[in-house]
Amino acid sequence: MTLAYVKISAVEAVPYAIPYVKPLRFASGEVHRADHVLVRVITDEGLVGTADAPPRPFTYGETQASIKAVIDTVFTPQIVGHDPIDRESVAVKLHRTVGNHTAKAAIDMALWDILGQRAGLPVSDLLGGWTDRLRVAHMLGFADPDAMVAEAERMVLAHGITTFKVKVGRHPIGLDIDVCRALRQRFGDMITLYVDGNRGWTAAESARALDEMADLGLEFAEELCPADDVAGRRWLARQARVPLFADESATRPAEITREVLDGGVTGISIKTARSGFTGSLRILGLCEGLGVDVVIGNQIDGQLGTSCSLAFGAAFERTARRPAELSNFLDMTDDLLEQPLRITNGELRVSEAPGLGVAIDQDKLAHYRTDG
Ligand code: MUC
Ligand code: MG
């Protein structure tokens, strides 16, 4: 197949704000509103690739304003004139600038969206095409044990979700243990549980918490203590009876290699919101080579970001093994997609339309955009 040469003619970074139904709280921060940036890459033949950049100042230092500024003033001048198929050239240019994970990732995924549209194929098929659906894991933010059990009940009943990632890392540590115990008591073996500490505990607190939860059948534990506690993480990993996963401490191939070879973790969370498709492909290959497990994580994504995680996660056997974190958009009061995502029987299906298969509702965008 020969694709005619086209050029990127413009990139738009549109800030928007959609409130949450309730705040999502975790050890490193909280989110009350989706203050994201919609990224649109436009070509001279009129194709538009779309992706989302969610600022996470508490994780990567990016803000909504910094994402827009870096795209408008640094990245756009570097990539206008390129053919969208030149993902590697674009990536090399973007990576001259350090950091700015979600801004870079959104541009990369928008290019893949254009590529899929031009080829007439879903991005997920272009990437790997393993399956057409993923099982969904739901993230439970901090609340008291009754409220977290009630939310899990709603997810089971309304969406058929039976895997839960429980946010932990609070003090006293007993509160989080009570939540996990209450969930196990309420649902028994019907649910799968894992925990994410967002670096909230010390290595010693993490060890104590894992000991106290030894009978709860946790699948794995993510980012319980900071990666800067190098010796502490190794000490924890030597005694832990559940696999330890890295998330925000290992976002780039070199960080992943260091964490894994250091002996601190044996699993990695892949988030397309911060590594795009091109970077996530490299990370997945590295994980295969290192022999470590992966989970498709979420960056507190809306439906557009979730569509990207789904496209990537469904593309490969390794990423489709575990339920993927694809339900956070349920915490939002509204979204931007014309066709809302629907979780049925605990699964999300990949769109069969070319590209990412998403269309933005222009009335909603006009309503929620914050740049006037
Ligand atoms: C997660 O897995 O940690 C919370 C903070 C963040 O950066 O992502 C979310 C979910
Ligand atoms: Mg995490």
Side-chain angles (χ1 to χ4, degrees), residues 15 24 45 52 74 95-96 168 179 192 215-216 219 241-242 256 330:
L24 178 70
E45 39 161 47
D52 200 41
V74 182
H95 285 291
R96 287 180 188 160
V168 300
V179 170
T192 300
D215 59 326
L216 297 182
E219 277 282 299
R241 289 284 163 268
V242 297
I256 293 167
L330 297 171

Side-chain angles (χ1 to χ4, degrees), residues 26 59 139 165 167 196 198 222 247 271 298-300:
F26 41 93
T59 315
M139 180 166 86
K165 158 153 144 174
K167 286 297 193 186
D196 181 2
N198 289 111
E222 186 174 303
D247 173 12
K271 294 186 175 176
N298 92 90
Q299 199 59 78
I300 322 181

Side-chain angles (χ1 to χ4, degrees), residues 114-337:
I114 293 171
L115 202 62
Q117 293 175 46
R118 283 169 75 190
L121 288 170
V123 167
S124 198
D125 286 348
L126 281 178
L127 286 165
W130 169 254
T131 177
D132 65 351
R133 69 194 73 187
L134 288 179
R135 284 172 297 142
V136 174
H138 182 69
M139 180 166 86
L140 294 167
F142 289 166
D144 64 47
D146 288 347
M148 290 172 76
V149 170
E151 183 173 338
E153 275 168 353
R154 282 198 300 280
M155 291 297 145
V156 172
L157 288 176
H159 306 286
I161 296 174
T162 54
T163 299
F164 295 97
K165 158 153 144 174
V166 186
K167 286 297 193 186
V168 300
R170 285 183 284 189
H171 296 92
I173 66 173
L175 182 55
D176 293 334
I177 296 166
D178 289 347
V179 170
C180 293
R181 196 164 292 290
L183 286 162
R184 188 55 89 203
Q185 272 166 3
R186 167 68 184 83
F187 298 104
D189 290 341
M190 194 188 121
I191 59 165
T192 300
L193 281 180
Y194 59 103
V195 294
D196 181 2
N198 289 111
R199 301 158 281 138
W201 288 331
T202 63
E205 287 167 338
S206 308
R208 216 168 72 229
L210 288 180
D211 271 353
E212 290 185 29
M213 293 192 284
D215 59 326
L216 297 182
L218 298 182
E219 277 282 299
F220 64 90
E222 186 174 303
E223 294 289 12
L224 294 182
C225 60
D228 285 355
D229 297 351
V230 180
R233 271 208 176 181
R234 282 191 204 164
W235 170 83
L236 179 65
R238 278 199 299 271
Q239 61 190 282
R241 289 284 163 268
V242 297
L244 300 181
F245 273 52
D247 173 12
E248 61 266 35
S249 68
T251 62
R252 295 179 300 114
E255 289 170 344
I256 293 167
T257 308
R258 272 197 292 272
E259 268 305 293
V260 172
L261 296 186
D262 260 4
V265 299
T266 56
I268 294 294
S269 175
I270 297 180
K271 294 186 175 176
T272 52
R274 69 173 170 226
S275 47
F277 295 135
T278 305
S280 298
L281 273 167
R282 288 194 158 95
I283 289 172
L284 178 62
L286 175 66
C287 290
E288 247 179 276
L290 289 167
V292 301
D293 206 351
V294 299
V295 64
I296 293 295
N298 92 90
Q299 199 59 78
I300 322 181
D301 299 298
Q303 296 192 17
L304 180 51
T306 301
S307 303
C308 291
S309 306
L310 175 62
F312 188 84
F316 306 97
E317 185 275 334
R318 185 173 284 257
T319 48
R321 286 180 194 167
R322 293 181 179 284
E325 296 167 11
L326 300 172
S327 60
N328 193 249
F329 65 85
L330 297 171
D331 292 337
M332 289 166 60
T333 52
D334 201 356
D335 217 298
L336 295 182
L337 297 195

Side-chain angles (χ1 to χ4, degrees), residues 16 37 44 68 72 111-112 127 136 152 157 190 202 204 239:
Y16 66 91
V37 180
D44 57 358
K68 179 161 173 55
D72 287 349
L111 296 185
W112 279 88
L127 286 165
V136 174
L157 288 176
M190 194 188 121
T202 63
Q239 61 190 282

